[in-house]
Amino acid sequence: EDDDNDFRGPTCGPADRRLLDQIPTPLPSQWNTGHLDMLHSTTWGKGIAHEAGNTYWTFGICYFSVVGSTPETAISRYDFGADHTPGQSNHTDGQKWHYIRGQVAMKSGVPSHLAYDSTNSMLYICDTGNGRILRLHTTTGAAGPSPVASFSGDGTDYEVTGATVDVVVAPGGVLTDPSGIELYNNTIYVSDYATGIIHAFDLSGNQINWLDTGRGANSLTGITIGPDAKLYFCDIKNDNVTRIDP
């Protein structure tokens, strides 16, 4: 999360610890060596999913200066293009597309994660503020016809309208505050921040299993399947990451 400032947006950082260790503390006001690329005009990032290459999806608030001055929630796709290398600031090759503006809702202090299925280009969304799971058909909808106004120095920035969205798990059922989400072997795993329970659903949204982690409310957030085919979850109340061995 970050404040509601039009400058804010996702940042590409290095995974090389040798570069990270060079970051001074405190940061000089114009220092930018620690990042490889960035885009702007989207704040309060709640969740992220990798598509391919330098392309990512996020859940956050977007500034649509063409359609009004009030920022609204949206699901956004970012292609950073080529990294500008450490210490540089050319973001003009970046591209942004914003979907389902105003149709998702966030909850303060709770992540709203995403899971991307590369086999069919479906994006699964924890719509935390509405207590449900959505599926966005990312190849549907139309961008444009003209770019929306973006932060100075960014590349193109479009709103996509008419995209198909399915409600996979409706509100008012077993989920209260869905937060973490992972897709594995045609099963959707969802962690519930409000209850400490991890649910498993089939792709039609039918619950097929569940596990009470015993961590209680205000604990579970992001989850993932590791290379060992085991599930890991973040417990922000107890400051740890836990592995589930079935």
Side-chain angles (χ1 to χ4, degrees):
E1 293 186 3
D2 211 329
D3 60 30
D4 54 344
N5 183 310
D6 188 34
F7 177 76
R8 309 297 182 183
T11 302
C12 265
D16 190 335
R17 284 297 302 271
R18 292 171 298 179
L19 291 174
L20 293 174
D21 289 343
Q22 296 175 17
I23 298 175
T25 303
L27 291 176
S29 60
Q30 298 300 318
W31 189 84
N32 66 352
T33 304
H35 81 280
L36 299 179
D37 215 333
M38 70 190 309
L39 290 168
H40 305 82
S41 306
T42 50
T43 68
W44 292 100
K46 289 288 191 174
I48 190 167
H50 181 235
E51 178 181 319
N54 275 349
T55 302
Y56 296 83
W57 292 84
T58 69
F59 184 125
I61 290 179
C62 295
Y63 285 73
F64 294 98
S65 54
V66 164
V67 294
S69 59
T70 302
E72 294 189 79
T73 55
I75 301 299
S76 299
R77 181 177 183 261
Y78 301 89
D79 183 352
F80 289 96
D83 294 341
H84 59 44
T85 71
Q88 304 304 311
S89 58
N90 185 349
H91 309 140
T92 56
D93 65 338
Q95 295 178 287
K96 297 178 280 187
W97 299 265
H98 308 293
Y99 293 71
I100 56 176
R101 175 172 58 90
Q103 298 180 44
V104 290
M106 58 181 60
K107 186 168 184 178
S108 179
V110 185
S112 299
H113 279 294
L114 313 169
Y116 182 77
D117 187 346
S118 60
T119 65
N120 55 22
S121 302
M122 297 292 186
L123 183 72
Y124 291 82
I125 302 164
C126 281
D127 186 5
T128 310
N130 292 315
R132 60 184 183 171
I133 303 298
L134 302 179
R135 177 170 50 227
L136 173 64
H137 299 238
T138 65
T139 59
T140 64
S146 300
V148 298
S150 184
F151 189 85
S152 176
D154 276 5
T156 56
D157 193 355
Y158 289 96
E159 181 178 12
V160 177
T161 58
T164 300
V165 184
D166 305 324
V167 178
V168 181
V169 181
V174 297
L175 293 177
T176 303
D177 292 336
S179 179
I181 188 167
E182 178 67 297
L183 187 66
Y184 185 72
N185 283 351
N186 293 321
T187 302
I188 308 166
Y189 296 90
V190 180
S191 62
D192 197 320
Y193 179 82
T195 63
I197 294 175
I198 296 175
H199 300 269
F201 303 93
D202 65 22
L203 297 183
S204 296
N206 302 304
Q207 187 183 43
I208 56 178
N209 213 334
W210 59 275
L211 172 69
D212 189 343
T213 65
R215 303 300 172 87
N218 309 327
S219 56
L220 270 59
T221 54
I223 60 176
T224 192
I225 300 291
D228 53 4
K230 295 177 181 179
L231 191 147
Y232 295 74
F233 67 85
C234 292
D235 178 349
I236 63 171
K237 183 166 67 176
N238 298 295
D239 295 326
N240 63 53
V241 174
T242 299
R243 185 186 70 218
I244 297 174
D245 291 355

